[in-house]
Amino acid sequence: MRLLDRSAVLLSMDTLGFLPYQYRQFEHLIAQPHGIMLVTGPTGSGKTTTLYSALSVINHPDLNIITVEDPVEYQLPGIGQVPVNHKINMSFASALRSILRQDPDVIMIGEIRDLETAEIAVQASLTGHLVFSTVHTNDSASTITRLVDMGVEAFLVATSVIGIMAQRLVRTLCPSCKEPYTPTESERKLDRPGRREPSVSPTIYKGVGCPECLNKGFRGRKGIYELMVIDEELQDMVLRKADVNQLKHRAVEKGMASLRQDGMEKVKLGWTTIEEVLRVTQDELVLESLTSDGA
């Protein structure tokens, strides 16, 4: 069972948990006239909320925005929303074929699950449409590999995808009862700050518990993000079929913060705890060794 809080889905982008440079990058990507913007992560990681927030930012009477969803979870005013219905053979792919005849400017596909849907999304982006969609992968770099494994030609992926954002949700500390503490030596070793943000105060916080958070120490959730902007160099690497580690290593060198790096920045900002970040992100020793070797 999935419980949907219809009063809380249409969040503004500035409340989702972006750091300033991520917000600027994402805002730039969703304002492009064409291309594919992908959001990836496991079920329940906030992908739909992020895409709805992006659509609400660009939603304008002059733009024809159409979505294909399975199912339509929330009604968006001014946007055409089409539910998938497999009983009448209304799949993502068949709905997209009909939608493309209606001259949309922006298309949101609930999920790219198969080659047919992926190919139509690529063709739509190459013919002047901005396409938003989701893919179930663990990080941004592996999304490229997933599309190629589906059967999409590498040169089509390289020329159509403009950005990929992996995300997770972490619980945020209750502002009424959080308090600072001195991190242990092992916790300090886990700190790998993001590469684009200036250093922030290293004060670490923990939740104590109070009546406002039902003595949990946490209240609400925010996202941690790994935003890969596909520039010319990364396009060339995709064309050469570089593996996932090479793509991620180069993206980090160019300024991308990994999920764990972004999470640790938000620990230092007092938004969440180290335990929460470790719970939803993987160990990055391999990535760190690659980075140090490259240096």
Side-chain angles (χ1 to χ4, degrees):
M1 181 183 293
R2 196 168 180 186
L3 302 178
L4 304 177
D5 181 3
R6 293 178 181 269
S7 65
V9 67
L10 290 178
L11 302 174
S12 61
M13 272 180 38
D14 56 359
T15 64
L16 295 180
F18 288 112
L19 293 176
Y21 82 94
Q22 292 170 328
Y23 186 93
R24 291 190 298 269
Q25 287 180 328
F26 190 62
E27 192 175 40
H28 174 73
L29 288 171
I30 66 175
Q32 297 305 301
H34 55 81
I36 299 177
M37 176 66 211
L38 296 172
V39 180
T40 181
T43 301
S45 60
K47 302 186 295 296
T48 301
T49 300
T50 299
L51 288 179
Y52 279 173
S53 298
L55 290 179
S56 67
V57 168
I58 64 174
N59 190 13
H60 190 273
D62 294 339
L63 279 182
N64 181 13
I65 304 175
I66 302 180
T67 74
V68 188
E69 305 173 61
D70 183 19
V72 174
E73 297 178 358
Y74 302 94
Q75 298 296 326
L76 300 175
I79 293 176
Q81 295 174 271
V82 179
V84 167
N85 188 343
H86 295 288
K87 292 181 180 179
I88 60 172
N89 201 28
M90 175 66 82
S91 63
F92 283 115
S94 59
L96 283 170
R97 291 193 198 93
S98 300
I99 286 171
L100 289 174
R101 300 190 188 100
Q102 301 173 33
D103 192 28
D105 299 300
V106 180
I107 303 168
M108 189 191 94
I109 307 168
E111 183 185 348
I112 294 178
R113 300 175 179 173
D114 51 52
L115 175 60
E116 189 177 15
T117 306
E119 287 181 333
I120 296 174
V122 167
Q123 293 303 321
S125 71
L126 295 177
T127 53
H129 304 86
L130 180 61
V131 180
F132 295 111
S133 190
T134 69
V135 183
H136 281 286
T137 55
N138 291 323
D139 59 13
S140 52
S142 60
T143 305
I144 298 289
T145 306
R146 176 69 183 276
L147 292 173
V148 173
D149 288 344
M150 280 184 186
V152 183
E153 295 288 347
F155 75 91
L156 291 175
V157 175
T159 53
S160 61
V161 178
I162 58 174
I164 304 169
M165 185 169 73
Q167 68 175 68
R168 301 289 189 276
L169 289 178
V170 293
R171 294 180 296 173
T172 50
L173 287 165
C174 174
S176 301
C177 65
K178 70 178 184 180
E179 62 179 30
Y181 77 98
T182 303
T184 65
E185 186 63 29
S186 60
E187 287 174 332
R188 288 194 186 96
K189 289 180 180 178
L190 291 169
D191 177 27
R192 301 180 179 111
R195 297 165 184 267
R196 291 290 298 273
E197 287 296 295
S199 296
V200 295
S201 171
T203 304
I204 304 298
Y205 291 84
K206 63 181 177 181
V208 177
C210 67
E212 290 193 26
C213 62
L214 302 178
N215 292 316
K216 299 293 185 182
F218 296 95
R219 192 170 66 180
R221 295 187 296 176
K222 283 188 182 291
I224 58 175
Y225 303 97
E226 178 181 282
L227 180 55
M228 177 183 286
V229 179
I230 308 298
D231 59 12
E232 290 184 1
E233 183 178 352
L234 291 177
Q235 281 181 340
D236 185 60
M237 292 181 69
V238 174
L239 285 171
R240 292 187 280 106
K241 299 184 178 179
D243 64 32
V244 172
N245 284 333
Q246 290 173 325
L247 285 168
K248 188 166 186 175
H249 178 209
R250 187 59 188 138
V252 168
E253 285 184 333
K254 294 169 74 68
M256 180 187 81
S258 68
L259 283 167
R260 181 163 290 188
Q261 288 170 344
D262 186 51
M264 288 302 172
E265 283 298 309
K266 288 162 184 176
V267 168
K268 292 193 289 183
L269 287 169
W271 293 4
T272 189
T273 65
I274 290 178
E275 290 77 17
E276 275 293 291
V277 174
L278 297 181
R279 180 177 64 84
V280 299
T281 61
Q282 64 180 1
D283 190 16
E284 295 176 350
L285 292 177
V286 174
L287 179 61
E288 289 297 314
S289 64
L290 280 172
T291 307
S292 60
D293 290 344

